[in-house]
């Protein structure tokens, strides 16, 4: 007799009479061919994971290792500061970042307050970023300090209320850190739009702001506006809902 596996915090129900598919033959004995689960927002999935595995490493990046508990703490602090700056549910956050710990924390922090993420390639030029920011009505932009020239130029012609600057230096070994700083120096002094408030990511974490619980619970709300258009086409928006990211 099969169990229903309905315990929290990841309630799922096995479907034993699901239509047969060839890959089901490779499943171990006792594994249901299909499961059903209630859609949840991605930030709730993170909270669930932190509840089950608080001390387990959630993220590894060079010398950085964040447990699920530490990741949730970063998210709560960043979300709290964003909320204090007036970022609300439905606002858009343009994230021009490579894969890094701050991308993960900011992604969840944006969803924590109900904002929508607009991820963008750090190699995009200023006119492309500006067009994307205007099309998505972006309220916050995030960039990496060694590739900030295009974003800074964008803020001179397109009003972005908040610009967050991320540095990968704290995660890197010393021999990489020196090269990283040389690359940052080569970029020269940045000219950011006069009406744009610029903040370092560390300022968000150290500010003392805190948002304990996520603002939304509806998994059908928009979560991300994914630019798409290939390598040569103009980026177009593809809307994704939280339930589609689960």
């Amino acid at each position: 007799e099969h169990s229903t596996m309905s315990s929290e915090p990841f309630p799922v129900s096995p479907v034993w009479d699901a239509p047969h598919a060839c890959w089901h033959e490779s499943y171990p004995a006792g594994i249901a061919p299909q499961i059903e689960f209630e859609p949840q927002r991605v930030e709730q999935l993170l909270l669930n994971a932190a509840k089950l595995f608080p001390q387990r490493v959630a993220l590894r990046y060079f010398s950085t290792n964040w447990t699920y508990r530490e990741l949730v703490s970063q998210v709560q602090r960043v979300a709290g500061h964003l909320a204090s700056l007036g970022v609300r549910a439905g606002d858009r956050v343009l994230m021009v970042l490579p894969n890094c710990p701050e991308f993960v924390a900011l992604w969840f922090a944006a969803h924590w307050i109900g904002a929508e993420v607009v991820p963008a390639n750090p190699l995009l030029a200023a006119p492309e970023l500006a067009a994307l920011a205007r099309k998505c009505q972006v309220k916050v932009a995030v960039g990496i300090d060694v590739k900030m020239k295009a974003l800074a130029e964008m803020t001179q012609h397109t009003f972005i209320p908040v610009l967050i600057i991320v540095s990968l230096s704290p995660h890197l070994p010393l021999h990489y850190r020196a090269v990283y700083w040389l690359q940052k120096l080569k970029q020269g002094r940045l000219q950011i739009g006069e009406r744009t408030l610029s903040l370092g990511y560390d300022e968000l974490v150290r500010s003392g702001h805190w948002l304990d619980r996520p603002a939304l619970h509806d998994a059908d709300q928009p979560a991300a506006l994914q630019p798409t258009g290939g390598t040569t086409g103009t980026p177009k928006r593809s809307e994704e809902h939280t339930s589609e990211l689960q």
Side-chain angles (χ1 to χ4, degrees):
E1 184 176 345
H2 302 295
S3 65
T4 59
M5 298 193 304
S6 58
S7 59
E8 294 287 351
F10 291 105
V12 297
S13 300
V15 180
W16 298 102
D17 58 352
H20 178 74
C22 60
W23 55 84
H24 293 162
E25 298 174 4
S26 63
Y27 287 8
I31 299 298
Q34 185 175 315
I35 60 172
E36 292 180 346
F37 53 89
E38 181 181 349
Q40 296 186 33
R41 292 183 59 84
V42 290
E43 62 272 23
Q44 186 59 53
L45 295 176
L46 175 62
L47 271 177
N48 292 344
K51 180 179 178 181
L52 281 176
F53 316 111
Q55 298 303 325
R56 186 172 295 181
V57 174
L59 187 153
R60 300 182 192 273
Y61 187 83
F62 289 98
S63 58
T64 294
N65 295 282
W66 287 350
T67 65
Y68 279 101
R69 177 176 291 165
E70 290 170 332
L71 175 55
V72 168
S73 176
Q74 291 267 335
V75 170
Q76 291 168 323
R77 294 170 189 273
V78 173
H81 199 137
L82 290 176
S84 75
L85 295 172
V87 183
R88 298 290 182 262
D91 289 338
R92 276 75 181 268
V93 179
L94 178 65
M95 292 178 53
V96 192
L97 290 176
N99 292 332
C100 61
E102 290 80 5
F103 182 99
V104 178
L106 282 157
W107 172 279
F108 281 109
H111 293 310
W112 203 268
I113 55 181
E116 301 167 19
V117 174
V118 184
N121 190 331
L123 299 180
L124 290 178
E128 295 170 312
L129 289 171
L132 185 59
R134 288 193 295 268
K135 185 180 296 184
C136 297
Q137 299 179 317
V138 165
K139 191 166 186 176
V140 179
V142 187
I144 182 173
D145 56 356
V146 293
K147 292 291 292 183
M148 282 296 298
K149 192 171 183 179
L151 260 180
E153 183 180 335
M154 178 194 73
T155 64
Q156 297 176 40
H157 308 287
T158 302
F159 175 53
I160 305 293
V162 180
L163 178 65
I164 298 170
I165 303 173
V166 169
S167 177
L168 303 184
S169 180
H171 310 297
L172 301 178
L174 284 176
H175 57 289
Y176 286 167
R177 203 173 296 179
V179 177
Y180 186 91
W181 278 103
L182 285 174
Q183 186 65 31
K184 184 179 176 181
L185 287 173
K186 284 172 58 179
Q187 186 174 228
R189 186 174 180 180
L190 299 173
Q191 296 293 331
I192 297 172
E194 292 182 358
R195 295 191 296 159
T196 298
L197 172 66
S198 63
L199 296 165
Y201 175 84
D202 287 347
E203 294 178 71
L204 304 184
V205 177
R206 297 196 305 261
S207 68
H209 294 286
W210 184 276
L211 192 58
D212 188 54
R213 306 297 297 181
L216 300 181
H217 301 284
D218 186 356
D220 290 326
Q221 291 294 314
L225 298 176
Q226 179 67 51
T228 178
T231 56
T232 58
T234 302
K236 305 171 185 64
R237 299 188 316 178
S238 174
E239 186 175 282
E240 296 178 351
H241 296 83
T242 306
S243 57
E244 297 171 320
L245 304 176
Q246 190 166 346

